[in-house]
Amino acid sequence: MRSNVLKQGIERAPHRALLRAVGCTDREMDQPFVGIINSFNEVVPGHAHLRQVAAAAAAGVRMAGGTPFECSTISVCDGLAMNHQGMKYSLPSRELIADSVEILAQAHAFDALVLIPNCDKIIPAMLMAAARLNVPALIISGGPMLAGQLGDEYVDLSDVFNAVGAAARGEMSEAELQGLERAACPGCGSCAGMFTANTMNCLTEALGMALPGNGTIPAVSARRISLAKEAGLKVMELLEKGIRPLDILTPAAFNNAFTVDMALGGSTNSVLHLLAIAHQAGVDFPLAKLNDFGARTPHLCQMSPAGKHHIEDLDRAGGIPAVMGELMAAGLLDDGALTVTSRSLSENLAAAEVLDASVIRPLDDPCSPTGGLAILFGNLAPEGAVVKRAAVAPEMLTHRGPARAFDSEEEATAAIMAGRFEKGDVIVVRYEGPRGGPGMREMLTPTSLLTGMGLDGQVALLTDGRFSGATRGAAIGHISPEAAAGGLLAIVRDGDPIVIDIPACSLSLDLPEQEIKNRLPDLPPWRPKVTSGYLKRYAEAVTSASTGAVFKN
């Protein structure tokens, strides 16, 4: 056992004395040490209940003869951080969380890990740490929030963001907005749609790093607590059998995850995070390869914000096992991939069944014959850009329009609120990338304003930043290279024609090549927006969104 370096031999008497100080018995010191790495705090709704999940996981570890130790990491709520300087810290927190898990596990020589995240960056961060450490580990998340109910309608946080646009246009009263605000988020859990947190929690199942049900069992369900106990039991089995994350996080696992992502129509942020996890696992995954998955994978689930269904509906319909069962039947998954059940994917899915075909559509009647995400290339994005094709209005799948360029999210938001744009415009928000932001802010506020104004089918938005999983419309993010790195986005001027062709996976600035060359030397040198603290260090170390915005080696 790794933990023997803390507890065996006469020279470890001081270590044992410290362990006794936290209440360890001789028997507990003889057992494997399991880190229960928890991202609980009281400000993030997705994390407010994680003490209970951690206690259940620890109970499972004890039942299987292990000694659990609960430890903590930070977490950021993207919704609370949205549209102010706090969002600059959201994506950068991913690297800090991965580092903190590594530090906790290495400093205390844990033999195995139960990792308990629930929201956007925390899930990929913990998976990155698991790959880096390569000790037996699995994920048990806190689970999704239930949808709220307002009259006969089911609502979620994205509806509140969208309603701000309607209120700004006078189409909704402040009293109606307040009623929606009070109803949309009825309790703990990750926000109820197929936003980034729930996308990533679902994809932990597809990667094989979580037990079936992890992505969809509601946060408030007793089944979530039972699953946490099973996770504690299972990590001890992984330890006994010597099954480690890098045995699971193989190319086959990432092929399966991207395929499931396409079928779910998941958040664009999943691309950023899966690439980062693959990088940590030593799996080379070129961004362009994703369009191959999109071309052959039907979109089976029309989830909020693209549709009316919420994660609780997906759970009742059979969950991720049912989705994967459909895909496996079509030969789209690697059914021999190993999972944390210590069994293969095909063994896990033997009893999977679709219980509601309106939520998980059959292969011969999908929401769309192609996947929910697309990677666009062209002179504006030679290294790629990402769009949630499933949430784009049909009339905006191809579009040519004049640019309206802004150098920050705040400038773009103010212009949208003031109506300083025309139908058909392509709003460009630049210098918001990983380096330029810094931190690659999500831009749910401008996109939800457009949606609330009824313009998500008439106005496109491009950025080198990123979007919330709750965004819908022709919102194209992750444009690489970013403006701060000399990308062509930096030379765009108001009125320049931009051509979007999502079916053809194309994004281009329609200017003569000579005009582009003439403008490039006139670009002023980029100056960092932040000159101290963690964000300064982040901007100096981070790489392109096309590589997952990981740190330079």
Side-chain angles (χ1 to χ4, degrees):
M1 290 187 291
R2 272 167 43 103
S3 59
N4 284 346
V5 301
L6 298 183
K7 57 194 184 184
Q8 284 192 351
I10 59 170
E11 72 278 15
R12 295 298 186 251
H15 302 66
R16 292 192 295 273
L18 291 168
L19 290 167
R20 294 186 195 284
V22 296
C24 274
T25 65
D26 289 341
R27 178 174 176 177
E28 286 176 310
M29 279 194 270
D30 287 340
Q31 297 175 158
F33 284 5
V34 179
I36 310 290
I37 314 293
N38 185 2
S39 53
F40 162 81
N41 66 38
E42 293 184 339
V43 70
V44 183
H47 296 241
H49 63 303
L50 293 189
R51 280 177 173 165
Q52 188 179 9
V53 176
V61 168
R62 289 193 184 94
M63 284 190 284
T67 300
F69 294 93
E70 185 180 351
C71 310
S72 298
T73 70
I74 61 170
S75 59
V76 171
C77 177
D78 278 16
L80 293 173
M82 195 70 67
N83 197 34
H84 60 87
Q85 293 303 301
M87 180 50 75
K88 291 181 181 290
Y89 289 88
S90 174
L91 181 62
S93 75
R94 188 186 70 185
E95 315 311 310
L96 282 178
I97 295 164
D99 289 349
S100 68
V101 173
E102 177 189 357
I103 290 167
L104 287 165
Q106 296 287 50
H108 304 108
F110 291 138
D111 297 297
L113 300 169
V114 177
L115 303 169
I116 308 178
N118 210 34
C119 291
D120 302 33
K121 281 71 46 203
I122 302 93
I123 304 153
M126 290 191 172
L127 286 166
M128 290 162 68
R132 188 185 303 174
L133 291 160
N134 202 32
V135 299
L138 51 65
I139 295 281
I140 169 66
S141 75
M145 185 185 292
L146 295 175
Q149 193 164 3
L150 187 63
D152 295 331
E153 297 292 321
Y154 286 95
V155 293
D156 59 42
L157 183 65
S158 69
D159 294 299
V160 186
F161 273 98
N162 295 340
V164 174
R169 291 190 65 167
E171 296 171 1
M172 174 182 278
S173 69
E174 287 193 27
E176 289 172 321
L177 179 60
Q178 187 178 91
L180 176 59
E181 165 197 327
R182 292 180 182 278
C185 299
C188 64
S190 46
C191 297
M194 191 56 76
F195 314 142
T196 305
N198 288 323
T199 298
M200 292 307 302
N201 276 329
C202 289
L203 295 184
T204 58
E205 291 188 47
L207 284 168
M209 285 296 294
L211 298 176
N214 180 68
T216 61
I217 294 173
V220 295
S221 170
R223 291 164 53 219
R224 175 62 53 181
I225 301 305
S226 296
L227 191 71
K229 290 178 183 176
E230 290 290 344
L233 289 165
K234 190 59 66 174
V235 80
M236 294 299 294
E237 182 182 327
L238 295 174
L239 179 61
E240 180 184 353
K241 294 182 176 180
I243 298 174
R244 300 169 182 264
L246 294 184
D247 298 322
I248 296 168
L249 293 172
T250 63
F254 289 97
N255 289 343
N256 288 343
F258 278 118
T259 299
V260 172
D261 200 7
M262 292 294 178
L264 294 174
S267 164
T268 52
N269 288 315
S270 63
V271 175
L272 195 73
H273 295 321
L274 285 174
L275 289 175
I277 299 162
H279 173 81
Q280 200 69 71
V283 175
D284 183 27
F285 218 102
L287 186 61
K289 188 176 178 181
L290 270 63
N291 283 331
D292 296 337
F293 292 99
R296 67 173 180 256
T297 306
H299 177 212
L300 301 181
C301 302
Q302 196 82 4
M303 310 295 296
S304 174
K308 65 179 182 179
H309 296 126
H310 293 90
I311 305 299
E312 64 204 78
D313 301 312
L314 180 57
D315 186 60
R316 285 192 291 264
I320 300 305
V323 175
M324 295 182 77
E326 289 291 292
L327 298 171
M328 190 172 70
L332 295 173
L333 298 180
D334 187 325
D335 58 7
L338 182 63
T339 74
V340 292
T341 64
S342 75
R343 299 181 299 174
S344 69
L345 183 64
S346 61
E347 291 174 300
N348 288 351
L349 300 180
E353 182 183 0
V354 175
L355 303 177
D356 187 341
S358 70
V359 178
I360 304 172
R361 300 278 286 272
L363 290 164
D364 59 0
D365 185 26
C367 307
S368 166
T370 53
L373 298 173
I375 312 300
L376 311 185
F377 295 93
N379 65 359
L380 261 183
E383 295 176 9
V386 185
V387 64
K388 191 170 184 174
R389 173 166 46 192
V392 179
E395 59 270 25
M396 290 297 290
L397 289 170
T398 58
H399 179 71
R400 177 188 173 94
R404 291 277 289 115
F406 302 94
D407 288 346
S408 71
E409 179 187 4
E410 287 82 1
E411 290 181 17
T413 299
I416 293 169
M417 289 286 287
R420 297 199 306 270
F421 62 93
E422 303 292 335
K423 293 178 182 178
D425 280 356
V426 178
I427 295 173
V428 173
V429 187
R430 59 194 172 196
Y431 297 105
E432 289 287 3
R435 182 185 177 205
M440 203 178 182
R441 287 192 286 181
E442 289 185 352
M443 299 190 194
L444 181 56
T445 297
T447 57
S448 60
L449 284 170
L450 292 171
T451 298
M453 293 173 175
L455 297 171
D456 54 318
Q458 299 171 340
V459 176
L461 198 152
L462 313 184
T463 184
D464 50 9
R466 61 196 182 102
F467 296 110
S468 164
T471 289
R472 71 173 190 252
I476 300 168
H478 305 201
I479 292 176
S480 302
E482 61 177 293
L488 214 59
L489 209 63
I491 70 164
V492 173
R493 298 174 182 170
D494 285 355
D496 285 349
I498 291 176
V499 181
I500 300 166
D501 190 337
I502 294 173
C505 299
S506 174
L507 176 66
S508 60
L509 176 64
D510 191 14
L511 290 178
E513 191 64 32
Q514 189 59 49
E515 173 64 15
I516 291 172
K517 289 180 179 178
N518 291 344
R519 290 187 190 183
L520 286 171
D522 295 334
L523 281 177
W526 173 74
R527 299 181 184 278
K529 295 177 182 176
V530 178
T531 57
S532 64
Y534 176 59
L535 288 181
K536 176 180 182 292
R537 300 197 303 275
Y538 180 85
E540 291 168 349
V542 73
T543 61
S544 169
S546 63
T547 59
V550 296
F551 279 177
K552 298 170 186 173
N553 290 328

